[in-house]
Amino acid sequence: MKNIITTLLAIILIAFATEATAQSFEVIVNEANKTETISKKDLSEIFLKNKTKWDDGSSITPVDLKASSETRKAFSNEILERNVGAIRSYWQQAAFSGAGTAPVERSSEAEVITFVKNNPGAVGYISESTDASGVKVLTIN
C-alpha cells in the first residue's frame, strides 16, 4: 500500500512539474515580420537550422538564451524535444563536421528582445512574464 501511495504522489508531482514548464515561454519575432502563428515543428526546424527562410523568402536568424537559462531549458524540452545538453552536443557535432553552427546566444531576455528588434528575420523566445514591448509574440499551434 505504501508503494502505491508513493507511486501516486510521484505521478502527481511529475504532472504538476510538467504543467509548470509547459508554455512558460513566448516566441518573439520582429514587429515587421508578417508571421502570426507557427507550429512546434517549424520552430524546431528553425532552431536546428533546417528551415532558414520565412514564408516571404527572407532569412531566419534564430537566437537562443544562454544554456543555463530556465526559459531555454523549457523551450528546448518542449519545442526541440531534447534537453539543452543534447542540443549543445548536436551543434558541436555539426560544427566539427562543417554542417553548421549553433544559433547566436544572448545572456539575457532583454538582450534577446534587443536582438529581435534590430534584426527583421530574427526569432527568439522569452519567459511569459517578460515584457514583450517592441516585438511580436507568435501563437504556437
Side-chain angles (χ1 to χ4, degrees):
M1 182 68 165
K2 186 176 182 182
N3 286 341
I4 293 172
I5 292 171
T6 303
T7 302
L8 287 173
L9 286 173
I11 290 170
I12 290 168
L13 287 173
I14 290 169
F16 280 119
T18 301
E19 184 67 27
T21 60
Q23 216 46 65
S24 59
F25 57 86
E26 295 178 320
V27 173
I28 59 170
V29 294
N30 186 283
E31 286 184 327
N33 192 312
K34 302 274 189 250
T35 306
E36 298 291 334
T37 64
I38 193 162
S39 69
K40 286 184 179 183
K41 181 180 184 285
D42 281 346
L43 274 174
S44 179
E45 297 260 327
I46 288 168
F47 276 84
L48 295 175
K49 293 192 175 178
N50 295 323
K51 179 176 175 145
T52 59
K53 301 281 184 193
W54 291 107
D55 290 343
D56 68 2
S58 62
S59 293
I60 300 173
T61 307
V63 56
D64 264 326
L65 281 165
K66 63 184 176 180
S68 61
S69 163
E70 290 301 317
T71 305
R72 180 167 176 179
K73 291 174 187 175
F75 180 86
S76 294
N77 288 331
E78 188 170 334
I79 301 300
L80 304 175
E81 298 180 348
R82 300 179 213 170
N83 65 38
V84 174
I87 296 301
R88 289 179 68 124
S89 178
Y90 168 88
W91 284 116
Q92 287 171 342
Q93 290 173 354
F96 181 74
S97 68
T101 58
V104 296
E105 253 184 47
R106 293 295 178 254
S107 297
S108 70
E109 293 182 3
E111 289 180 24
V112 169
I113 291 169
T114 299
F115 184 88
V116 171
K117 280 182 184 178
N118 294 330
N119 294 279
V123 58
Y125 52 87
I126 56 176
S127 68
E128 267 187 337
S129 61
T130 300
D131 180 10
S133 297
V135 293
K136 183 193 299 185
V137 176
L138 298 183
T139 301
I140 302 171
N141 56 17

